[in-house]
Structures are given as structure tokens and as C-alpha cells.
């Protein structure tokens, strides 16, 4: 026994000496041959110690069957090179080089590899490098092959010793010569290898199973669970070092040197670097194929990407993403990303490195549709049909997105494909960062660099900036297309807008039954078939009840999103779904910003009922909030900043900004901005289709429309109906049944109608021929066409004349609807009539029109309105109201014989003038008639009968130099002098002039020139005498005859002329009735003479009657006898 022990001891000492000799020889070779680290020597020691206890075995480098092969492949290696070192060298060669190794050597290599990877050998070899760390990991030898190594690889992240990590990596590299060493690869994948025909190399003839693994990775979607588990596990191991994926490593060597020269091989960073250049056209096709294969594996199992798995490990564990998403060990990348995005959206922060990795992996999913199994499965036919000519990658995804947006159903992708795209957009959270989408990033980079350079990335800030730039000069066609393609899907799930989701999540859950968790896949809300959160939230934006109102931050986000999405019907699913067919048939070429909606609004009557209702609802919202009108917002921004500052400051627009734009659209600076003006007028035209499209009018008059105008369809019909109701109340002198607020809005709408004939459909339709005949050269706007028609009203067609009559009557009765008057006289109204109601503007301006500071243009308009009033008493509300009883009493026959919808041409006024001369009018009416006569005395055009009867005389005898009346009464005075000089031959004209003179005799105030000349004398001699009935004229005549009283020279001259005119007028004014004769005689200065003559005549007749009666009686008596 002792002898045996002594032999063993001597053998051990001999082996120890041999090791020292070998170690000494190794230290004497060149620096290049002894560059291996301490770990190599430690492994040699362990192998020697193992050899002492086990049957001695040759090193691989000493095997005779492989000596030449190793030397051919690896050159001259140190004689003491261990098996691990030699295997590392062999694994660095390409497959075709390895297959050239003779079969015996292949078998020897396989045996040495298998021996090296036995659990007890791995345990012995790792003791020096790893010490006691293996026991802490819970890894122990089982007597099998590769089990211990697999445990060490699975737990290496817990190892802190760098020497141990390096050693495990070297063993892993060697083990990848055949995956059977560390997994149950061959056993679990036997059937899949047969089914997929991936048995590229037979075990007995091959050095490795790399080609088989590569083939199975390419069929990862069809593998059985057990095999899939092994393939993904090996893929995870490969992610640690690019060398482990030998085919990729070898085929991408040149690309590695070209694109990633600073990234050393032997780490997972090479993958990351190469993936960034995957779509580069200069990358080799084989390398691209390998990278796509790796991306597919990453998409299948997030752990295949060591970067994401490592830096997000804590977040995944803390958020229970693995347990929450799936019970399987291998979890898809999209599921993990969805979970982590939900964690972020719900307020939990993740590390910066994790967030960056998430962004990179979201890019991966959007770069290639093949990474998403749902798209490959459900969109394959659509890809062949619509996108077959495109490059594989993100462009195919955007192609499918574009065919989701097409208006023609035949050109759209299948619903299943659309669901798959929605799922992809959700999982990659495409709305959070524009850089995630490679197509969007490439198309919009130039726009972002210029227009959004100061906007920080992430949280959808840049996406929001790009949406704001739609329709501007900064936006490019390619960027707009890509942006709208991705926004189409974001618009259908409010959770994809981070800013909106963050501010409105609580309100959405409270009011709109939105799902509580961002990543909830419970199917609680489908964006197209379930509740639409954004429209729901908008309904609560301005809720009357405070408890039901949105948070201020949410309200701002709602306004932002609604404003941005108004640019396209595609971004409004509640509209796009019901209007798809109408868009395709009625608006096929409308692709500009907001053009689709404008087209639908223009053709509202032609739309299908559901689409018409949806468009009408949106137009109502637009009317309330102009920010939802992309056309106006894009072209009127400057106008709003100049003219609507107060409205913009209010923040809560309720139709105020639109009213402001309409009010100022004819300002000089706005008229030059034709785009803005055209946009505002177009919306005015659209608003004619329904009174609901004018917010303030709708709110003020809604109840009255329902009660009085239930059958009115268009806004113009409603305006006409309500106007009639207001007019009837006024005529009946009854309390208004229409509220004050509604009447104000009604006036505003009528005011707008007067500005442009296009805004009054009825007038335009009836007068279309007249407009073409008389006003073809008149530009629309500023009420110019309407003024043109009024000037030519005598020649208008009967129907058009009737409509113009009603328009004029309305304007003259209510100045607030008189566009020309209020716009021309705006400054004068502010100066003289700022305290007056706008409806009384004309009455006020008439009082001040002769002021020296009065604007000439305004005076001209006022005088023109006065001329119009003179044609019909109904045009003068004060006269009509003051003389209502008198008109009914004295002039009813005139009214009864004349049409009600045409001007009476002063006939009723003439009737009142007669009664005025006869002093039969009530005081109130007498004052109104006196005002009319006084105004007419200064401007002959205010007397339509005089203008008609004396037209030739005015042109030949009294024509002014400029052809216009200046308000001095010169024309009327000229006619009076011509009458007095017997130059007027026309009997009709004589009669009218005589009437003027007689009217002045009745009241001195009716003769402004006489009153002006004799004003001082009237105050001096007649101050106690009441006005009217010719009393002041009689007083002055008495003063003229009284030698004790001296009149002013001007008064004396003027009064003398007037007395002579009175005499001539009396000779012309023949009474037509006994009543007129009596009135004429009673007001004559010689009335006493007439009284004596009449009494004498009556007495003579009486005496003659008595005498004749007696004579006749005697004659009859004698005859009877």
C-alpha cells in the first residue's frame, strides 16, 4: 500500500516538474506568442491537475489527426496551447474553411470540445478564475455536458469578477461550436429541423450546428414551443457577443470595419452599431439579411437584445411587465415596450438609458414590417396588392398607412390589416417621438431643423410643432404626407398623444369611460367601434356646470389637438367614417389643408344624411371656435393680431373672433389681404346654409326659431321669418315677442346681408338679371351692388324692385342694418351719436349733418337716405309713427289705391302737406310734417313730386355748377323766383312751387331762408305768438305795415318777396273742393273781405228769394183761379 502511494506521489512530482519546465519554455518565446493572459496559464494548471487524477489525454494541438489542420488554419501555435485556446482559433474561420477539415480531425475536435464542456471539467477549470462565486450563483456540476456552463451563462450578470466573466465568455464561444453542448437543442428541435428542412449538416460530418440554428431562426414563427424556447435561448446567448452568431460575424466583417471601426468585436455593441446602418445602400446584402434576422428575433423575445434587457431590467421587474403581459418566458418586444410606455404614461419614471433603449427598439419595429407578425399575417395580400414595388422596410408600413386613408373603399387595405397597423402604432408609441418613425424622420428632418429647432424632442413636442406648421411655407410635401399618415392612427386613440393623455386622463376616465391604464389591452375601448374620447371630452370643454368642466390643462390640450386635427377629415374619425363615400364621390381632388371640410360644407345639401349631420355638427363647432378653421387660421393670423387683439386675449372664443373678422374684412389692410378676406366671406356663405352655423345668432334665437320659424331651413329663411315677427310687433305697437338679445343678433345678420349681395340668397336670386344688366361692373362687397340696385330701382324688374323696396324700408327704419351708412359714418357716429342706439343712427346724423366738422362723405350718404325717405312715408319711422292717426283719417284713400310693396312717391306726404296748410293735423304730426318740409326746402331732391314735375325747369333754369344739391336751398329758391317772375310755364310745376310757397306761409320754419333772414325779428316781435297756422308770417306782415316797427334789412327784402310770392301762389292754387276753398279763404289775409262779400251775397239771395217767392205765389194763385 505504501509502495503504491509512493508511486503516485512520484508521478505527481514528475508531472509538476514537467509543468514547470513547460512554463519556463513558454516564458522564453517571443512576445507575440506569449500574449495570452494569466487565465490561459491557470487553465493549463487545472488541466494538468485534472490529468493527474484522470486517464492522461492528449491536448488537441498534440493530436496527430489534427496537427496539420491546426497548423494550416492557426499557424504555428505554442506547444503548450490548451484546448480552449485552439478551439477559439478554429471557431474564428468561415464555414467553408471548417468543412474542409478532414473527417477524423472533425471528430477529434468534437471529442475534445465535448470533454472540455463536461460539468466536472468546467467546474475544475473555473475555480481559479471564479473562485467561490459559482457556489453563490447556485450552479453545481451534475455529471452531464453543458449544464453547469448553461447555469453560469444564465447568471453571469451577477458575477462581478471580470476575470471570471472573461473565462465564461471564452467557454461560451467554444461551446457555440455545437449547441448540443449547452442546451437540449438537438433533442427539442428534432421534429422542427425535419419540418423546416434545416438539417443542413449531419452531426457526424459537421463541426457545428450553426447553419441549422440559422435556418431555424429564419422559421421562428413556425417552431414548436420547446424548440422555440431553445432557439430563443441560444439567440439570447448570441446577443452577448457578435462572434457567437458566427454567420453574422463572418458575413458582416467588412461592414463592421466600414461602419463601426471604433466598436471592438466581442460585445453586443457591434449589433447596435450595425443596426443603425441596416438600411444603408452600401451595406452588403448578406449582412442586411442577418441583421433583419436578428431584429425578428428581438421582436420575438426582447431578451435577445441585451441592451434593452440589461438597462431596463429593474423597470421591467418593478412594473411586473413579464407577469402582466404573458405567462411565457419569452416575451415579445412589443409587449415589453407597451408595458414600459404604460409605466411612463402612468407617472413612473424609468432610467434615461432605459428610455433611450426603448426609443431605439421602437425604431426597429417601424423600420421593417417583417418584424411584426401581425402585419406579416394580416397584411400580406395588401402588401402584394398596393406596396409590392417598394423597398422592404418602413416605407411599406407607410404605404399601408396611406391606403388606410384613401377615400375609395376599393383602394383601402383590409380591416384586419388596419387593426394590425393600429396595434403596431400603439405598441411603438409612434406619437411620442418623431424620430421613432424612420420615414417620418427622413421626410421631416429639414422641416424640424428650420421650424422646430428649438423644440425639445420627446413627449410629442416635435410632432405637435410639425402639426402647427401644416400649410405653412416651412412644410414640405413629403413631410406632410408622412406626418398625416402617422397622425391618422394617433387621432384614433387619444392615449397616443402624450401631452393630451397626461392632462386629460382623469377627465377621460371620469366623463368618457376611457380605460384606466395606458397599456390596457382588455378591449374596453376600440377607437373606431367604441367611444371616441376626444369628441367626448370636447363636449365637456365649456360645460355650464362647474363640476362637469375639464381641468384647465386638459382644456388647453383639447383645444390644441382639435385645432391641429381640423386640417384633415382623416384626423377626425367621427367624420371620416360616415363621410368616406361622399369624400370619394364629391371631393376627390381636395387634398390641401382644410380643403376636404370646405368641400363637404359647400356641398352640404348633397351629402348622405349621416355625413350631413356630422359635417353640420363640426361646422357649428367651427363657428364657435375659429381656431378649428384651418383655412382662416392659416391666412388670417396677421389680421387677427392687428384687429382682434381683445378677442384673442379673452381666450374663450364664442364666435367673437369670427365676428371681429367679419366686421373688419373691408378695412384697407384686409382688403389687400385677399386670401383672408376670401376665407372669411366663404365661411359667411357656408353659414347661410343653417342658422346653427352662426354661434351667437344660434344661441340668442334658438327658442324663437323653434317657436316662430319651425319650417325655416336656411339662415336667410330664419332671418326673414324673425324680421317679419319683429316688424309686426312694431307695427302693432305691441311688446316684442323676440328677445332683445335675439333682435341684436338679427340686426347683425341683416347688416352682414347688406354688405354683400351673395349673403342674401333671395335678393340675389330675384335680382340676378338686374344685377347683370345694371351692376355688372360693380365689385361685390361693401354694399356696392345693393346701392347700385337702389340707384336704378326705377328700371328694375317688378320682382327685384319689390325686394329692394323691402330692403330699403328695413334699412331706413333701422339704421343698425344699413351697412353703407354705418361704415361710411363710423367716425361721425362715434363723435355725435355715441350715446344713441345704432338703430337711430340716421335720425341722429340728420341733426348734425350741417355741422362744419361733419364728414362730407357721411353727409352725402345721409342726404341720400333722406331722399329715399321722401319717396314713402313708410321709410320715415318718425313721420309714420307721429302721423299714424292723421294718415288713417285723411289719406286712407291714397293708401288704398296704391300697391303696398312699392314706393308711394310722396303721395301720402303730399296729402299730409295739404292738411298741414289747412292746420288740421295733430300737433305731433304737424311737427313731423314741418320737419319734412324744412328739410325739403334746403334740398329739392327731398321732394319727389317737385323733382318729377319740375325736372326740365331745374335742368334749364336752376342747374347747379357741380350738378348736386349742396343743402342751401338754392334750387328751390331759384324755382320760387322763376315762379314769381312768371317764367314757369308747366302747370304741374307751377302747382308744386305754389304748394311750397303756401306751406311756407303756414309755418315760417318750413322756409329756412325766410326764417334765417327774419329770425331776429321773429324773436323780437313774435316771441309770444305760438308757431304754426301762418301766425309768425302774419305777425311779420303786421310789423311790416306798422310804421313804429322796423324790420332787419334782410328780413324786409325777403319778406317783401315772399308776400309777392304768396299773392302769385294764391292765384295758382285753385281749390279743388269746397273744403279746400273754405280753408284757402279762412287763411287768406283778405278773409274779412271774403266774409263781407259772402254775407252780402247771401243777403241778396235771401231778399231776392223773398221777392221772387211772393211774385211766384201771386202768379200761382191767379193761375189756379
Amino acid at each position: 500500500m505504501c509502495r503504491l502511494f509512493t508511486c503516485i506521489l512520484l508521478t505527481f512530482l514528475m508531472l509538476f516538474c514537467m509543468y514547470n519546465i513547460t512554463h519556463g519554455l513558454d516564458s522564453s518565446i517571443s512576445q507575440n506568442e506569449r500574449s495570452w493572459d494569466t487565465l490561459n496559464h491557470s487553465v493549463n494548471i487545472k488541466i494538468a491537475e485534472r490529468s493527474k487524477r484522470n486517464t492522461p489525454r492528449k491536448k488537441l494541438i498534440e493530436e496527430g489527426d489534427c496537427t496539420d489542420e491546426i497548423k494550416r488554419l492557426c499557424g504555428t501555435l505554442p506547444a503548450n496551447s490548451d484546448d480552449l485556446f485552439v478551439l477559439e482559433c478554429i471557431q474564428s474561420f468561415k464555414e467553408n474553411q471548417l468543412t474542409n477539415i478532414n473527417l477524423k480531425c472533425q471528430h477529434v475536435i468534437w471529442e475534445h470540445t465535448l470533454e472540455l464542456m463536461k460539468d466536472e471539467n468546467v467546474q475544475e477549470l473555473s475555480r481559479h478564475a471564479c473562485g467561490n462565486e459559482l457556489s453563490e450563483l447556485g450552479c453545481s456540476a451534475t455529471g452531464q455536458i453543458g449544464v453547469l456552463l448553461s447555469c453560469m451563462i444564465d447568471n453571469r450578470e451577477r458575477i462581478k469578477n471580470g476575470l471570471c466573466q472573461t473565462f465564461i465568455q471564452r467557454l461560451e464561444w467554444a461551446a457555440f461550436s455545437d449547441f448540443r453542448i449547452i442546451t437540449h437543442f438537438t433533442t427539442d428541435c428534432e421534429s422542427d429541423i425535419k419540418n423546416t428542412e434545416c438539417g443542413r449538416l449531419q452531426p457526424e460530418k459537421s463541426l457545428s450546428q450553426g447553419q441549422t440554428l440559422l435556418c431555424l431562426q429564419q422559421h421562428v414563427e413556425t417552431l414548436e414551443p420547446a424548440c422555440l424556447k431553445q432557439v430563443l435561448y441560444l439567440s439570447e446567448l448570441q446577443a452577448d457577443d457578435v462572434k457567437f452568431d458566427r454567420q453574422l460575424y463572418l458575413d458582416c466583417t467588412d461592414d463592421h470595419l466600414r461602419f463601426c471601426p471604433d466598436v471592438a468585436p466581442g460585445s453586443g455593441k457591434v449589433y447596435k452599431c450595425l443596426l443603425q446602418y441596416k438600411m444603408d445602400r452600401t451595406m452588403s446584402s448578406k449582412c442586411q439579411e442577418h441583421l433583419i434576422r436578428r431584429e425578428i428575433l428581438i421582436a420575438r423575445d426582447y431578451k435577445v437584445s441585451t441592451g434593452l434587457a440589461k438597462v431596463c431590467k429593474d423597470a421591467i421587474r418593478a412594473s411586473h411587465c413579464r407577469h402582466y403581459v404573458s405567462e411565457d418566458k419569452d416575451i415579445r418586444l412589443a409587449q415589453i415596450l407597451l408595458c414600459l410606455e404604460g409605466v411612463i404614461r402612468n407617472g413612473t419614471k424609468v432610467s434615461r438609458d432605459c428610455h433611450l433603449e426603448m426609443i431605439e427598439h421602437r425604431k426597429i419595429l417601424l423600420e421593417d414590417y417583417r418584424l411584426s407578425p401581425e402585419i406579416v399575417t394580416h397584411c400580406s395580400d395588401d402588401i402584394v396588392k398596393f406596396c409590392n414595388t417598394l423597398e422592404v422596410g418602413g416605407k411599406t408600413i407607410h404605404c399601408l398607412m396611406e391606403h388606410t386613408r384613401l377615400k375609395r373603399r376599393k383602394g383601402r387595405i383590409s380591416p384586419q390589416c388596419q387593426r394590425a397597423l393600429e396595434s403596431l402604432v400603439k405598441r411603438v408609441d409612434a406619437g411620442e417621438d418623431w424620430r421613432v418613425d424612420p420615414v417620418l424622420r427622413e421626410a421631416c428632418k429639414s422641416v424640424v431643423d428650420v421650424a422646430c429647432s428649438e423644440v425639445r424632442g420627446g413627449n410629442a413636442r416635435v410632432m405637435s410643432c410639425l402639426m402647427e406648421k401644416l400649410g405653412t411655407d416651412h412644410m414640405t410635401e413629403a413631410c406632410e404626407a408622412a406626418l398625416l399618415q402617422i397622425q391618422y392612427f394617433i387621432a384614433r386613440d387619444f392615449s397616443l398623444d402624450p401631452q393630451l393623455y397626461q392632462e386629460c386622463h382623469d377627465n377621460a376616465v371620469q366623463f368618457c369611460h376611457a380605460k384606466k391604464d395606458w397599456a390596457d389591452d382588455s378591449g374596453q375601448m376600440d377607437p373606431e367601434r367604441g367611444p371616441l374620447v376626444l369628441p367626448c371630452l370636447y363636449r365637456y370643454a365649456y360645460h355650464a356646470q362647474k363640476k362637469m368642466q375639464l381641468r384647465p390643462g386638459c382644456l388647453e390640450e383639447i383645444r390644441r389637438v382639435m385645432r391641429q386635427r381640423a386640417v384633415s377629415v382623416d384626423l377626425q374619425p367621427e367624420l371620416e367614417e360616415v363621410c368616406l363615400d361622399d369624400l370619394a364621390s364629391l371631393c376627390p381632388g381636395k387634398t390641401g389643408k382644410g380643403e376636404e371640410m370646405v368641400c363637404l360644407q359647400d356641398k352640404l345639401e348633397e351629402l348622405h344624411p349621416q355625413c350631413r349631420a356630422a359635417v353640420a355638427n363640426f361646422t357649428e363647432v367651427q363657428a364657435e371656435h375659429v381656431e378649428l378653421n384651418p383655412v382662416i387660421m392659416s391666412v388670417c393670423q396677421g389680421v387677427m393680431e392687428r384687429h382682434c387683439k381683445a378677442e384673442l386675449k379673452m381666450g374663450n372664443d364664442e364666435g367673437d373672433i369670427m365676428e371681429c373678422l367679419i366686421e373688419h374684412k373691408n378695412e384697407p389692410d384686409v382688403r389687400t389681404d385677399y386670401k383672408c378676406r376670401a376665407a372669411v366671406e366663404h365661411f359667411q356663405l357656408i353659414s347661410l346654409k343653417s342658422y346653427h352655423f352662426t354661434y351667437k345668432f344660434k344661441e340668442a334665437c334658438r327658442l324663437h326659431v323653434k317657436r316662430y320659424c319651425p319650417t325655416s331651413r336656411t339662415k336667410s329663411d330664419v332671418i326673414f321669418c324673425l324680421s317679419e315677427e319683429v316688424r309686426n310687433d312694431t307695427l302693432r305697437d305691441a311688446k316684442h315677442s323676440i328677445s332683445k338679445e335675439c333682435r341684436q343678433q338679427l340686426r347683425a345678420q341683416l347688416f352682414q346681408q347688406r354688405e354683400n349681395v351673395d349673403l342674401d340668397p333671395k335678393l340675389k336670386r330675384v335680382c340676378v338679371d338686374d344685377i347683370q344688366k345694371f351692376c355688372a361692373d360693380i365689385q361685390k362687397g361693401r354694399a356696392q351692388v345693393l346701392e347700385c340696385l337702389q340707384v336704378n330701382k326705377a328700371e328694375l324688374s317688378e320682382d327685384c324692385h319689390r325686394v329692394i323696396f323691402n330692403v330699403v324700408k328695413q334699412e331706413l327704419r333701422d339704421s343698425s342694418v344699413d351697412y353703407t351708412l354705418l361704415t361710411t359714418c363710423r367716425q361721425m357716429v362715434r363723435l355725435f351719436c355715441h350715446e344713441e342706439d345704432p338703430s337711430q343712427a340716421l335720425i341722429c346724423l340728420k341733426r348734425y349733418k350741417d355741422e362744419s366738422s361733419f364728414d362730407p362723405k357721411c353727409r352725402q350718404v345721409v342726404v341720400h337716405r333722406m331722399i329715399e325717405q321722401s319717396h314713402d312715408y313708410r321709410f320715415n319711422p318718425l313721420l309714420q309713427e307721429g302721423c299714424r292717426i292723421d294718415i288713417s283719417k285723411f289719406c286712407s284713400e291714397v293708401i288704398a289705391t296704391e300697391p303696398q310693396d312699392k314706393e308711394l312717391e310722396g303721395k301720402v306726404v303730399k296729402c299730409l302737406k295739404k292738411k298741414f296748410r289747412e292746420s288740421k293735423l295733430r300737433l305731433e304730426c304737424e311737427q313731423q310734417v314741418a320737419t319734412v318740409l324744412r328739410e325739403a326746402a334746403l334740398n329739392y331732391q327731398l321732394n319727389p313730386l317737385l323733382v318729377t314735375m319740375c325736372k326740365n325747369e331745374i335742368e334749364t333754369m336752376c342747374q347747379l355748377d357741380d350738378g348736386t344739391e349742396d343743402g342751401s336751398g338754392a334750387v328751390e329758391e331759384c324755382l320760387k323766383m322763376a315762379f314769381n317772375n312768371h317764367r314757369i310755364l308747366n302747370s304741374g310745376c307751377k302747382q308744386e312751387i305754389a304748394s311750397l310757397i303756401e306751406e311756407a306761409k303756414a309755418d315760417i320754419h318750413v322756409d329756412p331762408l325766410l326764417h334765417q333772414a327774419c329770425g331776429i325779428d321773429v324773436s323780437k316781435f313774435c316771441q309770444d305768438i305760438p308757431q304754426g297756422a301762418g301766425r309768425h308770417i302774419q305777425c311779420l306782415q303786421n310789423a311790416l305795415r306798422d310804421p313804429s316797427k322796423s324790420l332787419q334789412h334782410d328780413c324786409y327784402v325777403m319778406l317783401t318777396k315772399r308776400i309777392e310770392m304768396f299773392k302769385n301762389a294764391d292765384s295758382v292754387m285753385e281749390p279743388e273742393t269746397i273744403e279746400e276753398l273754405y280753408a284757402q279763404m279762412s287763411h287768406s289775409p283778405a278773409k274779412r273781405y271774403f266774409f263781407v262779400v259772402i254775407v252780402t251775397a247771401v243777403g241778396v239771395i235771401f231778399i231776392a228769394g223773398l221777392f221772387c217767392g211772393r211774385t211766384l205765389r201771386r202768379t200761382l194763385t191767379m193761375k189756379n183761379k
Side-chain angles (χ1 to χ4, degrees), residues 538 542 562 572 575 597 601 604 611-629 653-656 658 683 686-687 689-699 702 706 713:
Y538 191 79
Y542 304 99
M562 291 293 288
Q572 303 171 70
L575 270 169
M597 178 54 64
Q601 291 169 337
L604 186 66
C611 179
R612 188 188 310 128
V615 172
N617 289 336
F618 182 76
T619 308
E620 282 191 53
V621 177
Q622 270 190 337
E624 181 180 1
H625 303 291
V626 74
E627 63 184 350
L628 301 184
N629 191 318
D653 178 22
E654 293 183 346
D656 302 286
M658 182 58 72
F683 190 82
I686 290 174
S687 69
K689 298 177 184 293
S690 172
Y691 84 99
H692 292 89
F693 298 166
T694 306
Y695 177 74
K696 289 194 172 183
F697 183 45
K698 175 192 70 175
E699 291 298 308
R702 188 197 303 269
K706 290 182 178 179
R713 296 181 59 188

Side-chain angles (χ1 to χ4, degrees), residues 307-320:
L308 180 68
K310 287 181 179 179
V311 299
C312 295
K313 181 179 180 180
D314 294 337
I316 293 171
R317 181 185 296 113
S319 305
H320 307 287

Side-chain angles (χ1 to χ4, degrees), residues 161-421:
N161 185 347
L163 192 64
C164 182
Q165 288 182 342
T166 303
F167 171 69
I168 294 174
Q169 191 174 37
R170 292 182 65 197
L171 285 176
E172 187 179 8
W173 172 245
F176 263 78
S177 63
D178 196 309
F179 304 115
R180 294 172 297 177
I181 296 175
I182 54 175
T183 67
H184 302 285
F185 173 69
T186 304
T187 304
D188 291 341
C189 293
E190 183 176 358
S191 62
D192 289 295
I193 291 173
K194 292 180 180 179
N195 294 334
T196 57
E197 298 181 356
C198 289
R200 298 288 185 270
L201 298 172
Q202 298 302 321
E204 65 272 15
K205 298 180 180 179
S206 170
L207 179 63
S208 73
Q209 294 293 308
Q211 290 289 347
T212 300
L213 177 61
L214 174 62
C215 178
L216 291 175
Q217 287 175 337
Q218 293 171 342
H219 294 82
V220 67
E221 293 297 331
T222 63
L223 301 182
E224 295 293 333
C227 181
L228 177 63
K229 182 178 181 180
Q230 297 299 327
V231 169
L232 292 177
Y233 175 68
L234 292 173
S235 301
E236 292 173 21
L237 299 180
Q238 286 178 328
D240 293 327
D241 192 335
V242 70
K243 292 182 179 180
F244 295 165
D245 191 333
R246 294 186 62 252
Q247 285 69 30
L248 185 148
Y249 172 68
L250 297 175
D251 289 336
C252 292
T253 300
D254 295 337
D255 299 290
H256 178 195
L257 295 175
R258 183 186 307 113
F259 297 112
C260 311
D262 299 330
V263 182
S267 69
K269 293 181 180 179
V270 177
Y271 285 127
K272 189 173 182 179
C273 176
L274 289 174
L275 285 172
Q276 293 177 354
Y277 298 95
K278 183 189 74 171
M279 304 309 296
D280 194 295
R281 295 180 182 277
T282 61
M283 178 173 281
S284 64
S285 59
K286 286 188 175 182
C287 185
Q288 285 180 331
E289 291 174 1
H290 286 303
L291 292 175
I292 292 172
R293 172 175 56 85
R294 294 297 304 178
E295 286 182 329
I296 293 174
L297 293 170
I298 292 172
R300 183 74 194 196
D301 184 356
Y302 80 99
K303 290 182 293 181
V304 175
S305 172
T306 55
L308 180 68
K310 287 181 179 179
V311 299
C312 295
K313 181 179 180 180
D314 294 337
I316 293 171
R317 181 185 296 113
S319 305
H320 307 287
C321 286
R322 289 167 58 94
H323 173 72
Y324 176 77
V325 177
S326 173
E327 296 180 356
D328 297 332
K329 180 180 178 181
D330 308 311
I331 304 175
R332 292 182 183 273
L333 172 65
Q335 294 173 309
I336 288 295
L337 290 176
L338 189 65
C339 175
L340 292 176
E341 288 293 341
V343 169
I344 296 173
R345 293 293 177 84
N346 292 329
T348 304
K349 292 185 177 181
V350 299
S351 67
R352 182 175 180 275
D353 290 339
C354 179
H355 194 259
L356 292 176
E357 283 292 333
M358 288 171 61
I359 292 176
E360 292 300 320
H361 285 75
R362 283 154 53 194
K363 289 180 185 178
I364 290 175
L365 292 178
L366 276 177
E367 281 179 348
D368 197 330
Y369 76 90
R370 293 172 295 182
L371 306 184
S372 301
E374 299 88 350
I375 293 182
V376 173
T377 302
H378 299 299
C379 299
S380 57
D381 294 338
D382 296 300
I383 292 173
V384 173
K385 184 177 180 181
F386 302 119
C387 312
N388 198 30
T389 59
L390 294 177
E391 301 175 2
V392 173
K395 290 184 178 180
T396 302
I397 295 176
H398 271 265
C399 171
L400 293 172
M401 289 179 174
E402 180 62 26
H403 282 273
T404 306
R405 300 173 57 235
L406 287 182
K407 302 303 177 290
R408 297 192 179 277
R409 296 186 185 274
K410 291 183 179 179
R412 292 169 71 95
I413 61 175
S414 64
Q416 295 80 7
C417 182
Q418 183 172 343
R419 298 285 93 75
L421 285 172

Side-chain angles (χ1 to χ4, degrees), residues 688-744:
L688 296 176
K689 298 177 184 293
S690 172
Y691 84 99
H692 292 89
F693 298 166
T694 306
Y695 177 74
K696 289 194 172 183
F697 183 45
K698 175 192 70 175
E699 291 298 308
C701 300
R702 188 197 303 269
L703 297 178
H704 304 297
V705 174
K706 290 182 178 179
R707 180 175 181 182
Y708 300 109
C709 314
T711 59
S712 299
R713 296 181 59 188
T714 65
K715 186 171 77 170
S716 58
D717 292 338
V718 171
I719 291 173
F720 179 79
C721 172
L722 293 178
S723 299
E724 288 292 305
E725 192 68 28
V726 172
R727 187 199 67 175
N728 294 336
D729 289 340
T730 303
L731 294 178
R732 292 194 301 265
D733 200 18
K735 182 180 178 181
H736 281 291
S737 56
I738 306 298
S739 66
K740 182 179 179 181
E741 293 77 11
C742 181
R743 294 200 306 273
Q744 289 176 342

Side-chain angles (χ1 to χ4, degrees), residues 989-1003:
C989 181
K990 277 185 181 180
Q991 193 75 21
E992 286 302 319
I993 296 174
S995 297
L996 293 178
I997 297 172
E998 287 293 321
E999 290 158 4
K1001 186 167 63 174
D1003 191 338

